Amino acid sequence: MYVNGKHYYALWVDETNNAVKIVNQLKIPYEFEICEITSYLELVNAIKDMHLRGAPLIGVAGAFAVWLASLEAKKTSNPEFFLNNAYNNIVSARPTAVNLKFAASLVYNKVIQCKNSENRAEIALTTAKYFYNSEIENFKKIGENGLPLIKKLASQKNGEPVNILTHCNAGWLACGDYGTATSAIYLAHKKGIKIHVWIDETRPRLQGAKLTAWEMNNEKIPFTVIADNTGGYLMQEGMVDIVIVGADRVAANGDVANKIGTYLKALAAFNNHIPFYVALPSSTIDFGLQQGVHHIAIEKRNKNEILQIEGITKNGNVETINIMPENYSVANYAFDITPAHFVTGLITEQGIVSAKKEDIIKLYSKKAI
Ligand code: MRU
């Protein structure tokens, strides 16, 4: 997508310098900073600290982390040991998004099959690049497949905008390009369909307020940031036509793990007969996991994310302040699981399917990778 008239991906490779470049998501919306990463551990730390985040982008980063590890492994006395250790570090950087394990394993399995350690980095790079490019194609297709939903709603609105509610950031920053939940939103706007986006601020890390709003602002799409608890009221009042969110992991039965608070939005949508769609590439589906609720590892993050808040002062300084005494007990669950029966449909690169086992399994056989 474009930032100040220039096209950017959220992550790209600088092959001349054997580096991965990323948009530093910790600085948005205050600053647009690019970071250069030259070791796999730095990339693992960038995933942990959320310099980059969002399930699909974490997957892509995991794939390129194996490439960096393959380069580093060449300089060690036991490359296989180094690579295996690196692989374990990479896949455990964040536990909930299945994309990380999927993409890192895809590259790692190719790499270890090659007995000549000199050629491994090249194999890793080719595989990671192929995966990233196919994911970007998938995000584009997700938008094309989701567009008819918005078009249909627009035809019922007598010229009024279609109100779309989204949670967290499932935009191009979370994916590399286009986004998942946002892909159809961008396309609808491009096609001149009148839309307005309600953006949940998404406490504690404020991915909605800081990242999704920044994306929408760049694209000049009308939006309103709301406190996380507002959605239910808006739905009751007929001010939401559709909810579209992303996903970190979808189980084979259609249960959806996504940013904490998604479940409550699904409940409110269900109660108010509002369509609740989840947009995702098939790399987000954990086909081997029969059930999501109680079975997906939910990341618990540092308590400071709840105790503190970051903002910009009148002098333009970005500062972090405590919003409650440091000794308070707080719990920071990063994700929750929406049971499949609250999900109207899954918008995938292969089309829209129901969140039911019999439909989800068909996606596996037609998966590109
Ligand atoms: O903790 P985050 O910011 O990585 O969580 C991101 C989300 O929950 C997104 O909705 C999800 O990864 C889908 S992104 C296309």
Side-chain angles (χ1 to χ4, degrees):
M1 302 293 292
Y2 286 83
V3 182
N4 301 326
K6 190 173 167 203
H7 185 271
Y8 283 93
Y9 295 99
L11 177 155
W12 68 99
V13 177
D14 175 356
E15 287 181 46
T16 325
N17 295 314
N18 285 337
V20 171
K21 298 223 172 159
I22 58 163
V23 173
N24 182 357
Q25 300 192 34
L26 294 178
K27 293 279 171 88
I28 291 172
Y30 317 117
E31 202 183 315
F32 186 69
E33 181 189 80
I34 308 300
C35 296
E36 182 172 289
I37 294 174
T38 51
S39 79
Y40 96 83
L41 258 185
E42 258 184 284
L43 193 46
V44 165
N45 287 331
I47 295 171
K48 285 184 181 166
D49 298 347
M50 295 173 68
H51 283 79
L52 65 104
R53 28 72 47 212
L57 194 69
I58 294 172
V60 169
F64 284 109
V66 178
W67 167 56
L68 291 177
S70 310
L71 287 166
E72 294 169 70
K74 281 203 259 186
K75 299 174 204 145
T76 67
S77 57
N78 190 341
E80 286 76 25
F81 177 81
F82 183 91
L83 265 172
N84 184 258
N85 193 39
Y87 170 76
N88 288 326
N89 283 332
I90 293 164
V91 296
S92 54
R94 291 193 73 192
T96 304
V98 73
N99 311 56
L100 179 57
K101 187 155 188 215
F102 174 83
S105 305
L106 184 82
V107 182
Y108 178 72
N109 290 336
K110 278 256 158 82
V111 162
I112 51 163
Q113 275 165 28
C114 171
K115 295 298 164 221
N116 181 349
S117 72
E118 281 305 307
N119 298 336
R120 286 182 180 145
E122 204 182 316
I123 292 169
L125 182 60
T126 309
T127 314
K129 274 177 20 187
Y130 179 75
F131 172 69
Y132 192 20
N133 290 336
S134 59
E135 282 289 78
I136 286 173
E137 268 308 298
N138 289 343
F139 305 138
K140 193 170 175 226
K141 284 184 198 152
I142 288 168
E144 288 160 2
N145 292 337
L147 181 68
L149 295 172
I150 300 177
K151 249 190 188 162
K152 191 170 172 209
L153 288 167
S155 71
Q156 298 158 1
K157 294 280 302 191
N158 293 326
E160 290 298 307
V162 177
N163 286 300
I164 305 162
L165 186 140
T166 192
H167 191 69
C168 194
N169 172 262
W172 71 270
L173 288 168
C175 296
D177 211 356
Y178 301 105
T180 55
T182 59
S183 190
I185 293 175
Y186 290 137
L187 193 56
H189 180 68
K190 218 167 144 185
K191 299 230 175 256
I193 298 173
K194 267 173 104 177
I195 55 170
H196 164 263
V197 184
W198 294 110
I199 303 174
D200 287 347
E201 61 171 352
T202 320
R203 276 283 289 155
R205 291 193 65 107
L206 303 173
Q207 291 94 328
K210 288 184 173 176
L211 306 178
T212 307
W214 180 82
E215 286 193 17
M216 294 297 146
N217 200 44
N218 285 345
E219 295 303 312
K220 302 190 171 41
I221 296 177
F223 70 91
T224 308
V225 179
I226 48 175
D228 286 329
N229 299 326
T230 312
Y233 168 73
L234 296 179
M235 291 185 211
Q236 261 178 349
E237 292 298 315
M239 293 158 82
V240 177
D241 298 303
I242 185 170
V243 180
I244 312 179
V245 297
D248 281 77
R249 188 186 295 238
V250 173
N253 71 340
D255 291 348
V256 173
N258 192 48
K259 182 51 56 193
I260 193 80
T262 303
Y263 173 36
L264 293 177
K265 294 299 132 65
L267 281 172
F270 189 78
N271 198 43
N272 289 285
H273 311 287
I274 291 164
F276 181 94
Y277 281 92
V278 181
L280 65 146
S282 44
S283 57
T284 302
I285 303 175
D286 192 343
F287 291 96
L289 184 70
Q290 296 311 308
Q291 184 191 331
V293 177
H294 307 309
H295 288 82
I296 294 176
I298 297 296
E299 179 180 14
K300 274 185 86 178
R301 293 188 60 86
N302 193 296
K303 68 176 198 169
N304 286 341
E305 293 182 353
I306 306 265
L307 286 173
Q308 302 176 333
I309 200 150
E310 180 200 75
I312 192 158
T313 65
K314 282 189 182 143
N315 309 331
N317 300 324
V318 177
E319 286 182 15
T320 301
I321 55 163
N322 283 3
I323 54 172
M324 63 189 98
E326 275 174 14
N327 62 344
Y328 275 18
S329 167
V330 295
N332 188 4
Y333 295 96
F335 300 94
D336 62 24
I337 301 168
T338 301
H341 62 272
F342 293 127
V343 178
T344 313
L346 305 173
I347 309 170
T348 78
E349 77 277 9
Q350 297 179 44
I352 298 179
V353 300
S354 78
K356 290 197 173 99
K357 198 171 179 164
E358 56 272 24
D359 270 352
I360 290 173
I361 204 73
K362 286 184 205 147
L363 297 174
Y364 185 74
S365 48
K366 292 193 203 128
K367 222 158 52 124
I369 288 183

